[in-house]
Amino acid sequence: MSAGYTIYRPLDQVNVLLIQPPDPPQAIKPLQVPTDDPPLFSPPWELMCLQRYLLDRTRHLCRFVDGRLFSNLEEELAGHINSMPPPRILAIHATALSIGEVSAVTDIARRRFPHTRIILFGDYPTEFPELAATMPRIDYALAGDPEPILRNLLDYIDVPQRLRRVPGLVIPGVTQPSPYWLNNLSGLSIGQWNDIFWNAYRVGPVHPVCRAEVRLSRGHTRSPSDRALGGRSSPLRYRPLDRMASLVQKCSHMEVNEVHMSDPPGVWTEETLLRWCRALLDLRNVQPWSLRLYPVPRNDETILNLIETRCRRLELIFPTCDRNLMDKYELAFDTRALSRMLALLQEWRVRVHVNFWIGGPEESRGEADRILHMARRFKHCQISVHPFPFHFDSPLYNDIWQNDTMEIPRLEEWIQWSLDPWMVERPLSLWKNRDKPEILQKQLKRIRKSIQRDPGFYMARFMEEIRTRNWIEVIEDKAVHLLRRALPANRP
């Protein structure tokens, strides 16, 4: 062989453990009326897709663990890592608001397994690769679509000169490239449900349910309506709708009660909704599903398609109740047309959940009054009030940060806290009243009291419960219960 050339023999197989860290605590507990609808809690969609891609397209083994299910983070995490023999790699999903939890995971992994390589992927290294490169105990970070970057990293992990040329791979102290994006998502694998232990994701105090989270798109819509949502640098792309519809249909044979489409509401244009419904209709879908929309009226054909494809829950997002601010979000709010749309949905027993955001950076005084005034128009619906979403990588944050018109939280506060969580107070992910969250809590308490004191809310909800309840199922359940009580204890 000629001098200067070396033979590279890649590792036959690497064991990859994808880790979803625990969720950061909520800055303010949201208000929900009534309280019987459980929150969304499902297996992490992006990790499922990344796992399936590595299993389908590479020779490496991969599985994911969900830290949100751990009762003892250190011991259970160490047990999962121990179960995968070397050579192994830990890939941790990271967002800007969860870097404290990510730091805890990396600290445990580095102390217990000092020779195991640790990788970051997700929104944080994608939007802030220069900051991810300085995070302690990190060997690599993936900026952009993680599938092709991680595949190249695994193939050339012991060849430094090849790693430097991998697009989107951040090597601390060596490279800080721009994010790498695929032109489309048709070549990527889609997560599967076969290996999920669904009982771990069953939530609800009264009627426990299992919900599966699915996302058709990846990236930011660049739409003014989604200006408060993160991922502003990621281009918008869609997965093949026929394959996604087939995945939803497969849930009908499992214990999944509902498939929730977690795409940003701005994704659902009339054209996208119709294309998605056609894909479900072609498969004769029988699996109930749900989605999030802005309070923009839809035409009757779209609503009928939603009903025919088994859409059983619709979440309406109100980023603001100020008519002037609605223009910034380009929301054409039409009360009469929206009421007609809701009446059609209620006729076919589609549950409508109205979600108001409170504490936005552009809101003026009287926000609680505006929310109450708007909520009275939706007395028959489930109502919730959540703190306004806070994302460092949102177009809204970028606009306010550039204008410097108000004091807003800085990412440096989270980084400083993650480095020394014992001495530095944890920052709050709030736009307003971040130093005095009790002000926002008082507003939520006032909204709650006003709703509780209004008999119209309870009367409308009582009538809606009577109208939508399947009384045949209720009678059957009561009959089975009485029959079981009547049987002798020793009979099967």
Side-chain angles (χ1 to χ4, degrees):
M1 177 169 292
S2 302
Y5 288 87
T6 58
I7 297 177
Y8 165 62
R9 183 178 183 272
L11 293 174
D12 291 333
Q13 189 180 90
V14 178
N15 293 318
V16 182
L17 186 64
L18 306 178
I19 302 175
Q20 175 66 40
D23 285 336
Q26 293 178 313
I28 297 292
K29 186 178 180 181
L31 163 67
Q32 185 167 299
V33 181
T35 59
D36 58 348
D37 192 14
L40 175 66
F41 183 64
S42 64
W45 169 247
E46 292 298 334
L47 270 66
M48 291 174 56
C49 293
L50 181 55
Q51 178 199 29
R52 179 50 50 184
Y53 177 86
L54 293 178
L55 294 176
D56 290 346
R57 308 299 173 89
T58 74
R59 63 185 177 277
H60 308 291
L61 296 181
C62 177
R63 62 185 175 87
F64 75 86
V65 296
D66 195 341
R68 300 173 299 174
L69 301 174
F70 293 168
S71 57
N72 186 320
L73 177 61
E74 178 157 357
E75 295 304 322
E76 294 183 55
L77 177 61
H80 281 285
I81 299 175
N82 261 326
S83 66
M84 301 192 74
R88 62 186 167 219
I89 281 180
L90 308 182
I92 306 172
H93 185 246
T95 64
L97 296 179
S98 68
I99 56 176
E101 288 69 24
V102 172
S103 294
V105 172
T106 59
D107 177 69
I108 295 169
R110 187 60 76 201
R111 283 191 290 104
R112 304 285 289 264
F113 307 92
H115 302 295
T116 298
R117 291 183 174 98
I118 300 176
I119 302 170
L120 283 191
F121 73 97
D123 294 339
Y124 182 60
T126 296
E127 298 293 336
F128 310 101
E130 69 287 349
L131 296 178
T134 63
M135 195 166 181
R137 303 177 290 274
I138 297 300
D139 296 297
Y140 306 101
L142 314 181
D145 292 316
E147 290 88 350
I149 309 173
L150 183 55
R151 180 188 60 191
N152 286 320
L153 171 62
L154 295 174
D155 287 343
Y156 306 121
I157 194 166
D158 289 331
V159 188
Q161 62 271 26
R162 295 291 296 270
L163 286 182
R164 295 189 189 99
R165 295 197 293 269
V166 174
L169 180 62
V170 179
I171 306 176
V174 180
T175 63
Q176 294 183 18
S178 301
Y180 173 73
W181 306 111
L182 296 169
N183 292 328
N184 58 72
L185 306 181
S186 58
L188 298 183
S189 299
I190 296 176
Q192 301 295 324
W193 313 112
N194 302 334
D195 300 329
I196 302 297
F197 180 64
W198 284 107
N199 280 337
Y201 294 94
R202 192 179 299 275
V203 293
V206 181
H207 302 290
V209 296
C210 285
R211 289 183 180 143
E213 180 183 5
V214 169
R215 183 164 174 170
L216 291 180
S217 64
R218 180 183 287 182
H220 201 281
T221 62
R222 308 294 196 276
S223 169
S225 58
D226 288 333
R227 59 199 292 261
L229 304 182
R232 64 174 181 265
S233 67
S234 176
L236 181 64
R237 293 144 302 162
Y238 294 90
R239 298 181 184 273
L241 297 187
D242 55 342
R243 292 168 58 194
M244 296 300 297
S246 177
L247 177 68
V248 171
Q249 177 76 310
K250 290 178 182 177
C251 288
S252 62
H253 306 294
M254 303 178 185
E255 53 265 59
V256 177
N257 303 97
E258 176 188 299
V259 175
H260 178 68
M261 314 305 296
S262 60
D263 298 84
V267 164
W268 298 108
T269 62
E270 292 286 351
E271 179 184 359
T272 305
L273 266 176
L274 288 175
R275 288 175 54 222
W276 172 239
C277 289
R278 290 193 194 103
L280 292 174
L281 287 171
D282 290 341
L283 293 177
R284 295 188 176 94
N285 175 61
V286 296
Q287 170 64 45
W289 62 284
S290 63
L291 78 164
R292 300 182 298 169
L293 296 175
Y294 289 118
V296 178
R298 309 286 175 158
N299 59 52
D300 291 349
E301 179 186 2
T302 302
I303 298 302
L304 290 175
N305 279 327
L306 291 177
I307 295 169
E308 189 173 358
T309 55
R310 299 278 292 176
C311 178
R312 288 297 174 261
R313 193 165 64 93
L314 184 65
E315 184 176 354
L316 289 182
I317 305 292
F318 277 82
T320 179
C321 293
D322 189 329
R323 294 300 183 99
N324 295 324
L325 286 180
M326 282 186 179
D327 294 336
K328 288 189 175 183
Y329 293 89
E330 294 187 355
L331 299 180
F333 184 74
D334 186 336
T335 304
R336 184 174 299 178
L338 188 61
S339 299
R340 185 173 64 251
M341 182 185 82
L342 294 181
L344 183 58
L345 291 170
Q346 292 160 13
E347 182 180 350
W348 291 94
R349 298 182 179 178
V350 178
R351 299 185 64 186
V352 179
H353 180 166
V354 183
N355 184 358
F356 298 99
W357 293 349
I358 190 171
E362 300 170 315
E363 290 287 346
S364 58
R365 297 184 62 180
E367 183 181 14
D369 293 328
R370 292 192 293 271
I371 291 176
L372 279 170
H373 178 73
M374 187 68 70
R376 292 189 178 96
R377 305 185 181 198
F378 304 97
K379 292 182 178 181
H380 53 278
C381 304
Q382 181 174 5
I383 296 173
S384 63
V385 185
H386 288 74
F388 197 94
F390 181 84
H391 299 283
F392 290 107
D393 54 343
S394 66
L396 178 60
Y397 185 91
N398 188 59
D399 294 341
I400 294 179
W401 178 77
Q402 288 181 346
N403 295 333
D404 199 23
T405 56
M406 64 177 293
E407 182 184 358
I408 57 176
R410 305 288 179 175
L411 182 55
E412 290 76 11
E413 299 176 20
W414 267 260
I415 297 175
Q416 184 181 3
W417 169 78
S418 68
L419 297 175
D420 193 5
W422 298 274
M423 301 300 295
V424 179
E425 184 179 359
R426 185 186 188 110
L428 298 177
S429 54
L430 295 175
W431 284 99
K432 288 184 177 182
N433 306 321
R434 63 192 185 102
D435 297 324
K436 296 182 179 180
E438 60 270 14
I439 297 177
L440 193 57
Q441 289 175 337
K442 287 181 179 179
Q443 289 180 307
L444 290 175
K445 186 177 180 180
R446 180 186 163 211
I447 295 174
R448 179 189 294 276
K449 285 185 176 180
S450 297
I451 292 177
Q452 290 175 342
R453 292 173 180 174
D454 190 342
F457 277 96
Y458 290 95
M459 181 59 67
R461 196 163 291 113
F462 175 72
M463 297 302 297
E464 182 68 12
E465 182 71 15
I466 293 178
R467 191 184 66 83
T468 59
R469 178 68 65 89
N470 189 331
W471 292 104
I472 295 178
E473 291 183 358
V474 173
I475 294 173
E476 289 177 347
D477 291 342
K478 291 291 186 182
V480 170
H481 179 68
L482 292 174
L483 182 61
R484 287 176 178 173
R485 291 183 59 183
L487 288 174
N490 58 351
R491 289 189 60 183

